[in-house]
Amino acid sequence: MSLLTRLKSWIGPSSPQTNNLPGNWIEYMTGSGAYAGKTMTEAGVMNISAVYCAVNLISDSIKSMPLILYRRDDDGKTRDEGHPAHYVAKRRPNPYTTPSRFKKQLQLWSLLWGNGYAEIERRNGGEPVALWLIHPNRVKPEVEKSGYVRWKVANDSGTFTYIEDINMLHIMGPSSDGVTGMSIVSRARDSFGLAAAAELYGRRFFSNSAIPSGVIEHPGPLKDLARENLRRSWEKMHSGENQGKVAILEEGMKFQNIGMPSKDAQFLETRQFQVVEIARWFNVPPHKLKDLERATFSNIEEQNIEYVQDCIMPLAIDFEEECNRKLLSEDEQETYFFEFLADGLLRANIATRYAAYAVARQWGWMSANDILRKENMNTLEGDQGDIYLVPMNMVPADRVDDVIDKQTATDNASTFTPQTPEPPPDDGNGEDEDESPDANKPDVPKIAQAFAPVFADVYGRMLTKESKAAERAAKNEATFGAWIDRFYADHELLVRDALIPACESCAAAVMAASGMDLTPEQIADSTRALAQIHIRQSKHALKTNANAAADDSWQARSGDLANLSINEFVSMVTL
């Protein structure tokens, strides 16, 4: 009998084994109802750890994004913090709820019940002044023949209140009728029920009630009373605080230990599979539910971006459009719109961000202050931070003809012999007023030094990873030396991949400053060499002292390695 079949029969109504279960255990686990084909409640499934984690994760992601009201203008968009709709969405939905809690609660209800509701309180002029959360269990739609919808809300007193659709903020999940969303619990009850059953089975199994820990063999038959006396005597002498004491067997008795058969251990695999299954229902990567079996260091960041794009952004768009439709008048919707600020969720590691900023700054679509604002840092004083740079060899498309005409005129003028201008009179101070040709040349080392934090961050992360791995491996002194060789043979590729964005960005900056070109092969060779230097230093330190990674000087190497990297690229364009 397979594990799934055993679990179904164990918890089904016709199974005789249910007599051994705690009374109404499914109701205890899920609130009410039963597994597979019967009812499970939205509140009850939150007792399943994977469901709780998924719902909390998604609603927290929505909660963490500021909801901003923008006004369209000639330059694109501008925040409008004086609008009443911005106040209730961004500042204070109502006197008792913060914006983050309001967004999280609406999204949580939408995930579990399929619907999140909030009544919109308005002034006489129609401007929203407050948003009041309403539990989805209290709300039912009433659809007129014309298709118009209003909402029937049950009050605590047993009466009903009717709310017009325009005054009900409704965050709806997947729907079969376009009016109300579907409860995920009604769709995934079998998956959620199996997870709950496996969890209960595991608890009973490991509490030593699923199977006995062992049996006592007696060479002869025993009467019922003798058998019961023997069992009680054994439990008294060898359970609880007496576990581990020496046992004395008489009359030829033997103790036979019973371990965990492989077929009964399958429920562990079932529980792991259910995490993936629940992740699939909520459209989140398994590693977000703490299942790191298939996650690697190299793909975690990419999976995080996929999570935002595939899971969070569709929910955010629904939220934005509902706020546009209900919190803004039809005339205002031509000028205003709500938008979540998702930069924090899409934030990459520091090396990748700085590499992107270098490209944006070099090609002129971001200023220094634009970058500082993205990093949540104070802007530069004066106007210098708002200057946009452009490459010297680039020209606007609408000025191509002017540039060609100017170049043609220069070429024609070059056929004439220019007259040599008279030198300026000597002022008698004996100094040469001609400046050195290098006087206006960019300071390449200074420009490259701006990438020191980027390199230091990369090396710091690599050293931290090595330190943690070395601390675990050093516990076995006999195999530590061989572990070092194996670990760093694989680790070198990881270091090189982590260095690529920083090296390419630094190389682009020094090439632009010096006017010299480096081939992709040269940059790749330097990146590989820097990774090898890092690996050799780490291996030497650990082979000399097994506890080197725990020393303060271990992390301090990140600064030295950063300077070494900068000097590598500076020397390539200045020597």
Side-chain angles (χ1 to χ4, degrees):
M1 182 184 297
S2 68
L3 173 64
L4 181 59
T5 304
R6 290 201 304 275
L7 285 173
K8 286 183 176 179
S9 64
W10 182 47
I11 62 177
S14 61
S15 173
Q17 295 181 12
T18 54
N19 295 331
N20 298 326
L21 296 177
N24 204 359
W25 72 274
I26 287 290
E27 183 170 348
Y28 171 76
M29 291 294 295
T30 62
S32 68
Y35 158 75
K38 298 184 181 180
T39 305
M40 296 184 73
T41 69
E42 288 78 6
V45 296
M46 290 291 278
N47 290 325
I48 303 171
S49 62
V51 175
Y52 181 91
C53 185
V55 172
N56 208 43
L57 169 73
I58 296 173
S59 55
D60 274 345
S61 297
I62 294 295
K63 157 188 169 180
S64 65
M65 295 189 296
L67 184 58
I68 309 297
L69 179 65
Y70 291 99
R71 182 181 67 252
R72 296 181 179 90
D73 53 32
D74 295 337
D75 296 328
K77 61 183 181 181
T78 303
R79 295 189 184 190
D80 192 330
E81 299 186 356
H83 196 285
H86 180 275
Y87 183 83
V88 296
K90 178 70 168 58
R91 298 285 299 278
R92 194 178 73 164
N94 61 64
Y96 310 103
T97 310
T98 63
S100 59
R101 292 177 182 173
F102 177 82
K103 289 179 291 185
K104 177 172 181 175
Q105 191 63 62
L106 267 185
Q107 191 58 59
L108 185 148
W109 283 339
S110 179
L111 289 171
L112 290 176
W113 277 264
N115 303 279
Y117 297 104
E119 181 183 3
I120 305 171
E121 180 184 349
R122 301 182 187 273
R123 293 192 181 96
N124 292 334
E127 301 92 346
V129 295
L131 302 172
W132 300 95
L133 293 166
I134 304 176
H135 197 285
N137 276 350
R138 297 172 53 196
V139 182
K140 288 186 178 181
E142 288 196 353
V143 184
E144 299 178 357
K145 292 182 179 180
S146 63
Y148 183 80
V149 179
R150 65 175 183 169
W151 302 93
K152 181 180 179 181
V153 181
N155 301 317
D156 293 337
S157 60
T159 59
F160 296 94
T161 300
Y162 291 90
I163 300 176
E164 302 299 318
D165 183 60
I166 193 62
N167 293 325
M168 181 71 86
L169 194 67
H170 179 203
I171 306 304
M172 183 172 66
S175 173
S176 59
D177 58 8
V179 178
T180 56
M182 298 180 294
S183 166
I184 192 174
V185 178
S186 66
R187 300 291 172 175
R189 59 180 179 268
D190 285 353
S191 297
F192 295 166
L194 181 57
E199 182 173 341
L200 182 62
Y201 180 82
R203 185 171 72 245
R204 290 177 57 84
F205 189 95
F206 287 108
S207 66
N208 200 28
S209 59
I211 60 174
S213 59
V215 296
I216 301 175
E217 297 180 4
H218 193 279
L222 291 175
K223 295 182 179 181
D224 292 343
L225 181 59
R227 186 185 303 109
E228 183 65 19
N229 289 337
L230 177 59
R231 183 185 63 79
R232 290 181 179 177
S233 175
W234 181 270
E235 288 181 350
K236 180 179 179 180
M237 294 297 298
H238 302 287
S239 63
E241 297 180 354
N242 296 322
Q243 288 185 4
K245 290 188 175 181
V246 177
I248 300 176
L249 300 176
E250 304 178 77
E251 300 179 2
M253 292 186 295
K254 296 180 181 179
F255 179 79
Q256 181 67 39
N257 183 56
I258 298 179
M260 180 191 296
S262 58
K263 62 180 181 181
D264 287 328
Q266 288 177 354
F267 80 89
L268 296 175
E269 299 177 7
T270 298
R271 292 199 64 193
Q272 188 173 23
F273 171 77
Q274 286 309 111
V275 173
V276 179
E277 182 75 0
I278 290 171
R280 189 178 295 117
W281 276 106
F282 286 99
N283 195 25
V284 299
H287 81 271
K288 285 289 189 180
L289 303 188
K290 319 308 179 191
D291 181 0
L292 302 179
E293 183 180 10
R294 292 177 178 83
T296 65
F297 180 84
S298 60
N299 72 356
I300 282 289
E301 183 176 339
E302 189 64 29
Q303 288 188 37
N304 286 337
I305 295 175
E306 290 179 0
Y307 160 70
V308 175
Q309 294 176 340
D310 298 339
C311 177
I312 298 303
M313 293 314 298
L315 301 176
I317 291 173
D318 287 343
F319 211 117
E320 294 165 354
E321 292 179 346
E322 182 69 1
C323 289
N324 291 337
R325 191 167 72 95
K326 301 289 181 66
L327 299 182
L328 302 173
S329 67
E330 291 189 8
D331 292 337
E332 288 176 328
Q333 291 175 37
E334 298 294 327
T335 307
Y336 296 92
F337 65 95
F338 280 96
E339 186 174 75
F340 277 108
L341 192 61
D343 291 0
L345 293 181
L346 292 170
R347 195 178 181 88
N349 62 61
I350 188 171
T352 304
R353 296 201 312 275
Y354 280 20
Y357 292 151
V359 174
R361 183 85 167 108
Q362 176 183 344
W363 292 99
W365 69 77
M366 291 187 76
S367 67
N369 282 345
D370 292 335
I371 297 171
L372 291 170
R373 293 186 189 101
K374 287 282 188 181
E375 290 295 302
N376 198 27
M377 300 169 66
N378 293 333
T379 56
L380 301 176
E381 295 182 0
D383 298 331
Q384 291 298 314
D386 294 317
I387 296 175
Y388 291 85
L389 307 178
V390 293
M392 294 294 292
N393 61 340
M394 304 293 287
V395 64
D398 59 354
R399 293 183 54 198
V400 171
D401 292 339
D402 296 340
V403 174
I404 294 176
D405 293 342
K406 183 177 180 180
Q407 183 64 43
T408 302
T410 303
D411 293 342
N412 293 335
S414 64
T415 59
F416 298 95
T417 304
Q419 297 181 356
T420 304
E422 296 182 2
D426 189 0
D427 60 3
N429 60 11
E431 294 182 359
D432 186 2
E433 294 193 6
D434 291 338
E435 294 184 357
S436 168
D438 294 333
N440 295 322
K441 188 174 181 180
D443 189 344
V444 176
K446 185 176 181 180
I447 293 174
Q449 192 62 36
F451 290 86
V454 183
F455 281 109
D457 176 76
V458 175
Y459 287 119
R461 286 188 286 111
M462 295 298 102
L463 289 167
T464 299
K465 182 179 181 66
E466 297 166 31
S467 176
K468 292 180 179 178
E471 182 179 357
R472 293 191 298 267
K475 295 178 181 178
N476 191 339
E477 298 180 4
T479 61
F480 186 60
W483 173 87
I484 293 175
D485 293 330
R486 290 196 309 272
F487 175 81
Y488 281 100
D490 298 330
H491 190 59
E492 180 178 337
L493 180 61
L494 180 63
V495 175
R496 187 177 67 191
D497 289 345
L499 282 171
I500 287 175
C503 290
E504 290 180 347
S505 301
C506 185
V510 298
M511 283 192 293
S514 65
M516 294 185 63
D517 291 330
L518 299 175
T519 66
E521 291 77 13
Q522 288 177 300
I523 299 173
D525 290 341
S526 295
T527 304
R528 188 181 302 107
L530 291 171
Q532 291 173 348
I533 292 172
H534 171 89
I535 295 298
R536 285 198 299 269
Q537 288 184 359
S538 295
K539 289 177 65 175
H540 176 73
L542 289 174
K543 288 188 174 182
T544 303
N545 177 11
N547 296 319
D551 193 78
D552 293 341
S553 60
W554 182 266
Q555 285 292 341
R557 288 171 46 212
S558 61
D560 297 334
L561 288 166
N563 292 329
L564 176 67
S565 303
I566 291 170
N567 293 335
E568 168 72 13
F569 288 101
V570 171
S571 64
M572 292 172 69
V573 298
T574 56
L575 294 180

